[in-house]
Amino acid sequence: MIELQNVSKIYDLGEIKVTGLDDISFSCEEGEMISIMGPSGSGKSTMMNILGCLDRPTSGTYLLDGDNVSKLSDDQLARVRNKKLGFVFQSYNLLPKIDALANVELPLIYSGQDHRHERASKALEAVGIAQRANHLPAEMSGGEKQRVAIARALINDPRVILADEPTGNLDTATSHSIMDLLTDLNKKGITVVIVTHEEDIATYTQRTIYVRDGKITEEKRR
Ligand SMILES: Nc1ncnc2c1ncn2[C@@H]1O[C@H](COP(=O)(O)OP(=O)(O)O)[C@@H](O)[C@H]1O
Ligand SMILES: [Mg+2]
């Protein structure tokens, strides 16, 4: 499903160049649920940005679903993102002035699809939060907001969910309920990749990849 071959990412800041990823190779099978761990600045977000087609490697190859996406144009990457990928972020990234339902509908508006209300309502139901459809983000708890964000990630039927510290702002009990939800989605066949700082969150995943200084240092299977 996901294959990185000798991927490096160098941030070119003119005078100085910063290494984000240094010759990383790894793959993730369809239907796997994996985690990426590492200290701050080790390259986790850089890796997620590349896996999520939000950025391109400086060198190396990224095969997503068999297609080489390393050299696609911005428009082509946007299409791949819309069709195949769902994103979940630590800070939820919901628009503050529109309600939960409208937030979930957004990707459907971008991709010009019909039946937006019904589909967004179903997605909210699927993550157990239909009763909050008409609430603004400020009127919801962190866990509720993350459920809305997961509903939004699911709306285009993605093959892969990429979650960068999805429980980073949540208390322990809520973190576990969000991980249970991601586990359920994985059981339905969605490939899940999450970044986390916490070992007990990583234990929900079948495999953990440890990164440091832009390199993979270790891999653990459960
Ligand atoms: N947009 C950017 N421009 C310049 N340097 C960056 C950028 N994003 C990340 N970096 C650098 O790349 C390295 C890896 O960062 P990052 O992937 O954000 O790590 P993590 O998510 O593990 O904290 C760090 O040295 C960071 O400063
Ligand atoms: Mg990060």
Side-chain angles (χ1 to χ4, degrees):
M1 184 80 227
I2 283 171
E3 190 169 356
L4 296 184
Q5 299 169 340
N6 305 104
V7 163
S8 293
K9 175 72 189 180
I10 315 287
Y11 294 102
D12 191 343
L13 308 176
E15 295 272 291
I16 47 167
K17 304 200 184 330
V18 179
T19 302
L21 290 179
D22 185 6
D23 197 23
I24 279 201
S25 297
F26 95 100
S27 56
C28 173
E29 302 297 318
E30 173 143 39
E32 251 193 305
M33 179 158 172
I34 69 169
S35 48
I36 299 168
M37 294 193 80
S40 169
S42 57
K44 304 181 299 294
S45 293
T46 301
M47 198 161 158
M48 290 299 256
N49 288 343
I50 288 174
L51 293 179
C53 297
L54 293 158
D55 204 354
R56 276 174 288 261
T58 309
S59 61
T61 303
Y62 173 21
L63 299 174
L64 175 61
D65 218 3
D67 296 328
N68 186 350
V69 295
S70 345
K71 301 221 156 61
L72 296 183
S73 69
D74 288 350
D75 283 355
Q76 289 169 319
L77 283 180
R79 243 171 281 142
V80 172
R81 279 202 302 276
N82 231 305
K83 206 168 147 218
K84 298 197 172 166
L85 307 173
F87 295 89
V88 178
F89 303 93
Q90 174 172 3
S91 49
Y92 326 118
N93 291 14
L94 301 175
L95 294 188
K97 292 188 176 156
I98 58 176
D99 66 18
L101 189 71
N103 266 287
V104 176
E105 279 181 49
L106 277 179
L108 297 175
I109 295 174
Y110 295 143
S111 55
Q113 298 187 52
D114 298 331
H115 308 296
R116 297 198 285 262
H117 258 58
E118 293 109 286
R119 287 177 60 186
S121 300
K122 279 209 184 105
L124 284 173
E125 229 166 85
V127 300
I129 197 156
Q131 76 282 9
R132 291 283 182 269
N134 300 117
H135 288 236
L136 294 174
E139 298 165 342
M140 292 183 279
S141 69
E144 289 173 336
K145 282 187 273 202
Q146 198 57 297
R147 279 176 193 270
V148 174
I150 292 171
R152 181 185 55 191
L154 287 172
I155 197 77
N156 275 325
D157 282 324
R159 307 274 302 280
V160 183
I161 286 189
L162 298 163
D164 197 345
E165 302 201 41
T167 64
N169 285 342
L170 304 175
D171 61 67
T172 306
T174 309
S175 295
H176 287 289
S177 76
I178 291 295
M179 289 311 296
D180 286 335
L181 173 58
L182 291 171
T183 304
D184 285 344
L185 297 173
N186 175 248
K187 284 187 180 138
K188 289 180 182 148
I190 301 179
T191 305
V192 179
V193 181
I194 73 162
V195 164
T196 181
H197 273 301
E198 296 151 277
E199 278 288 348
D200 61 332
I201 294 299
T203 59
Y204 281 85
T205 66
Q206 297 139 20
R207 185 156 62 101
T208 301
I209 288 156
Y210 294 86
V211 293
R212 181 176 282 269
D213 299 331
K215 289 178 184 295
I216 294 176
T217 54
E218 196 191 337
E219 229 188 277
K220 187 157 90 188
R221 279 181 189 277
R222 293 183 185 78

